Amino acid sequence: MSSVTYTVSHSDEEVSKTLRDENINTLRRPVKGFIFLQKARRPGALVNVIGVVVACTPKRKSNGTDYTCSLVIIDPSIPLNAKGITVNVFRSLIDQLPDLSVGNIFVGKNLRIQTFYETTQLVATKEGSTFKVIDDITERDHQFPFSMRSHAKEIMEYSDYLRRWCTSSSNSRHGDYTSITSSRKRIKIQELLPGIFFDLIAEIVMVCSAEFKVDLYVTDFTENKLLGNQEYRPKTPYGLCSRNILQITLWDEHVEDGEKLPIGTFVLLRNLHSKRNTNDDLVAFLHGDREFRNKKIIILDEQDAGVKEIISRRSAFCAQKTQKVLEPIERSSCPELEHDYTEQSITRIICGKEIELTEIDDIKVHPEPANFFRTRGRVISVMPPNFEDFSLPYCHRCNKIIHIKGCENCTKCSRGLKRFKYKFGLLFEDELGVGTLPVLITKGDANTFLEGLPPVNLYQNQTVLQKLKGRMQKLLGNVLESQAGCGPLIDFCVRTYEIEDENGNFKRIYRMFNTVLQE
């Protein structure tokens, strides 16, 4: 098909004069020859569509010789509870792919309908499909492919209608990145088999860094017997066993991303590859993209449909575990349960008893990013898993904690390191075992929390290490033996603030302050 384009000029007044007084919530028919997205259902058919881009992926190398990108589009025919239609675009050269952003209008002709795992997709093939992306409705000169030239004016008018419809308060659905259907099957841990590529939504329960790689331990609260019978993974939260936890090894550019992931984070992991390890247990790997960096680790919030499903399974799992540890036969093996920890706080709060308790879930959705709260919960996981790593080398000149075990010189100024600072994290859950809060404890806040225990080299100072273990054991209960529910409920204070990541996105951080873990 010809690649010749034509410039068509329209003034803003000419394009929108027929729409300005129109009710944008009134369903308007598409341009002649185009269909509503909801009618794109017959596999193999070729269709013409126009929609608003609500999600898109970067350009990338396909599994073959072409280049590809994906986007999700909607129009008024798509119900509010649906995520739109995925369009996969293929071209021979990466520069031939569209430059996309959320809010653009995508016009596609001769897109082929296909189904993938019972989901409808549209494919813009490199042989017969043409497309046009409209990023600015008010721009006078637009270049249209030859096949769209005769309907250019109508396309611009309908595009203006779609833009105003989508940005109205009742229809705004921008930014749902995870709605893009993957080219691999998204599965649960219980469905996992060796030798497949797959996508997974899961909660991170442990992060272990090593040279050139990072091991993530994740769960979706389903069970797979191929993950092994051995209890070789220590300090797991929620009372999980090895059959609930998948080990995922990150390589290449994903190592840095993996090291920053807090315990308790929900993630979408894309293009994982499952294998058996030397113990014959099923594990997974995530390697890099040799030519183009492709986003394969996506942090999800608790409003994502997949995350909500995991939270529901987690609640049922924890309720079942808690019931088991409370049975009389189990009490004899868990003496600390003889005490009523639900009425006892083992911390001394110095931020003031007059501060009212705030539920963990309410803290996470509080509209003010910078604030402080008093809350209540029990610890269900610790990071790092080894107490010796709670204290790290610190450069006073650079005011920098060095995240390299045994490092003797600052990586920035090369000055010899003689001081240490605490830095560790605790994952709390609320009284109902539903909401979780990852809390960072470091520097001055850590010195307050561990009152009387100076930050030292814990690999060399066994006296402080043993005192730290004794102090933490009171806080953790039987979490270290994977018995979630045995730990005590405690009151503590947290500060919240936001930081900007390398992609310009803001995420909320929770740090403990003015709370003392008593002897």
Side-chain angles (χ1 to χ4, degrees):
M1 182 168 289
S2 174
S3 60
V4 177
T5 57
Y6 294 82
T7 300
V8 180
S9 297
H10 297 291
S11 68
D12 182 44
E13 292 79 7
E14 181 183 9
V15 169
S16 60
K17 65 181 180 181
T18 61
L19 301 174
R20 187 160 292 150
D21 297 326
E22 182 181 36
N23 182 352
I24 60 173
N25 291 316
T26 300
L27 185 63
R28 171 179 171 154
R29 298 194 61 80
V31 177
K32 184 178 180 180
F34 290 75
I35 67 169
F36 282 123
L37 293 174
Q38 192 68 9
K39 292 186 176 181
R41 289 291 178 263
R42 185 163 61 88
L46 295 177
V47 293
N48 305 328
V49 297
I50 306 177
V52 184
V53 178
V54 294
C56 53
T57 68
K59 303 174 184 180
R60 63 191 184 277
K61 190 77 165 57
S62 71
N63 292 331
T65 58
D66 299 325
Y67 295 86
T68 184
C69 66
S70 300
L71 59 146
V72 174
I73 56 176
I74 62 172
D75 69 5
S77 71
I78 300 294
L80 280 174
N81 59 353
K83 291 187 175 181
I85 301 293
T86 298
V87 181
N88 297 314
V89 183
F90 292 90
R91 287 294 181 266
S92 299
L93 300 175
I94 193 169
D95 292 339
Q96 296 173 342
L97 292 172
D99 294 318
L100 295 164
S101 61
V102 170
N104 289 164
I105 305 298
F106 180 84
V107 186
K109 292 204 69 175
N110 293 325
L111 307 185
R112 188 172 299 280
I113 302 174
Q114 69 176 24
T115 57
F116 185 81
Y117 292 106
E118 302 179 353
T119 301
T120 298
Q121 297 182 344
L122 301 177
V123 179
T125 63
K126 61 181 182 180
E127 293 85 9
S129 303
T130 57
F131 60 82
K132 165 69 177 174
V133 176
I134 301 173
D135 58 355
D136 186 359
I137 300 295
T138 63
E139 183 182 340
R140 294 194 58 181
D141 298 331
H142 281 277
Q143 291 185 329
F144 282 86
F146 176 79
S147 62
M148 300 180 190
R149 183 187 178 195
S150 60
H151 298 293
K153 178 181 177 181
E154 292 81 1
I155 290 173
M156 291 298 296
E157 289 181 348
Y158 187 68
S159 297
D160 183 65
Y161 159 73
L162 287 180
R163 177 184 58 80
R164 294 185 297 113
W165 163 81
C166 191
T167 55
S168 66
S169 59
S170 59
N171 295 308
S172 182
R173 287 179 280 183
H174 284 184
D176 187 5
Y177 186 93
T178 62
S179 66
I180 295 180
T181 303
S182 172
S183 59
R184 297 156 300 278
K185 187 175 182 180
R186 186 177 299 174
I187 65 174
K188 300 182 180 69
I189 286 177
Q190 66 185 13
E191 302 168 331
L192 187 57
L193 295 171
I196 64 172
F197 288 89
F198 64 100
D199 294 350
L200 176 71
I201 293 180
E203 179 180 354
I204 297 174
V205 296
M206 192 181 304
V207 182
C208 296
S209 299
E211 190 174 12
F212 305 123
K213 68 173 185 175
V214 169
D215 288 328
L216 297 184
Y217 293 85
V218 305
T219 186
D220 62 4
F221 296 91
T222 63
E223 183 176 302
N224 190 320
K225 64 180 181 180
L226 298 179
L227 298 182
N229 297 314
Q230 307 153 321
E231 295 293 339
Y232 64 88
R233 299 186 181 101
K235 306 171 187 173
T236 55
Y238 304 116
L240 295 163
C241 69
S242 61
R243 289 186 175 187
N244 302 118
I245 300 175
L246 175 65
Q247 177 184 337
I248 300 174
T249 301
L250 309 181
W251 297 94
D252 307 314
E253 70 266 21
H254 305 299
V255 172
E256 183 178 353
D257 295 336
E259 289 176 331
K260 299 176 182 178
L261 292 172
I263 293 173
T265 302
F266 294 98
V267 290
L268 167 61
L269 299 160
R270 307 177 65 209
N271 202 28
L272 299 172
H273 187 206
S274 59
K275 296 181 181 179
R276 289 187 182 272
N277 64 11
T278 55
N279 294 325
D280 205 33
D281 290 327
L282 192 60
V283 296
F285 297 85
L286 180 58
H287 288 276
D289 191 325
R290 293 182 179 180
E291 297 193 38
F292 300 97
R293 182 178 175 89
N294 186 13
K295 188 73 172 177
K296 296 182 181 178
I297 304 176
I298 303 170
I299 298 177
L300 306 178
D301 61 35
E302 295 186 3
Q303 300 306 310
D304 181 88
V307 173
K308 288 181 178 179
E309 185 179 344
I310 291 178
I311 292 175
S312 177
R313 287 199 297 267
R314 183 180 69 188
S315 299
F317 182 92
C318 291
Q320 184 181 18
K321 275 288 182 181
T322 302
Q323 181 64 32
K324 287 183 179 180
V325 299
L326 290 176
E327 293 174 357
I329 190 171
E330 295 294 324
R331 285 184 178 274
S332 61
S333 61
C334 190
E336 50 270 80
L337 285 176
E338 298 297 328
H339 303 283
D340 187 2
Y341 280 117
T342 61
E343 298 297 328
Q344 177 183 358
S345 171
I346 62 168
T347 58
R348 172 158 52 91
I349 310 295
I350 28 183
C351 61
K353 290 286 187 180
E354 69 279 0
I355 300 178
E356 295 183 0
L357 280 171
T358 302
E359 297 291 337
I360 282 176
D361 280 343
D362 292 335
I363 293 175
K364 296 169 71 173
V365 299
H366 196 275
E368 297 180 12
N371 214 320
F372 64 92
F373 303 90
R374 176 170 164 253
T375 189
R376 177 173 295 163
R378 64 165 55 86
V379 178
I380 58 174
S381 188
V382 184
M383 183 63 194
N386 298 318
F387 290 129
E388 289 87 345
D389 296 324
F390 274 30
S391 183
L392 297 169
Y394 170 75
C395 178
H396 178 71
R397 173 184 292 175
C398 301
N399 190 26
K400 178 181 179 181
I401 293 178
I402 310 299
H403 296 86
I404 303 175
K405 184 166 55 178
C407 185
E408 297 181 353
N409 297 94
C410 177
T411 55
K412 184 177 181 180
C413 69
S414 300
R415 187 180 184 181
L417 300 173
K418 297 181 180 180
R419 298 187 181 186
F420 283 77
K421 293 285 185 181
Y422 283 116
K423 186 174 183 180
F424 57 96
L426 302 176
L427 179 64
F428 286 87
E429 71 174 8
D430 60 20
E431 295 181 71
L432 298 178
V434 178
T436 60
L437 190 72
V439 178
L440 175 66
I441 308 175
T442 187
K443 296 185 178 180
D445 297 326
N447 294 339
T448 300
F449 185 69
L450 299 174
E451 186 179 47
L453 296 179
V456 296
N457 188 336
L458 295 174
Y459 281 93
Q460 298 178 0
N461 195 320
Q462 292 299 309
T463 301
V464 175
L465 176 62
Q466 293 307 315
K467 289 182 178 179
L468 173 66
K469 288 181 176 180
R471 191 91 62 90
M472 294 297 296
Q473 184 66 44
K474 297 173 63 178
L475 177 67
L476 301 176
N478 264 16
V479 169
L480 297 185
E481 283 74 39
S482 301
Q483 294 295 321
C486 286
L489 284 168
I490 71 163
D491 293 349
F492 61 98
C493 291
V494 293
R495 292 185 295 183
T496 65
Y497 58 98
E498 286 187 342
I499 62 172
E500 185 177 2
D501 63 20
E502 58 185 13
N503 297 319
N505 300 318
F506 287 90
K507 62 179 181 179
R508 193 166 293 192
I509 300 296
Y510 309 93
R511 288 182 60 166
M512 185 172 288
F513 83 114
N514 283 5
T515 303
V516 180
L517 182 60
Q518 295 177 325
E519 292 284 358

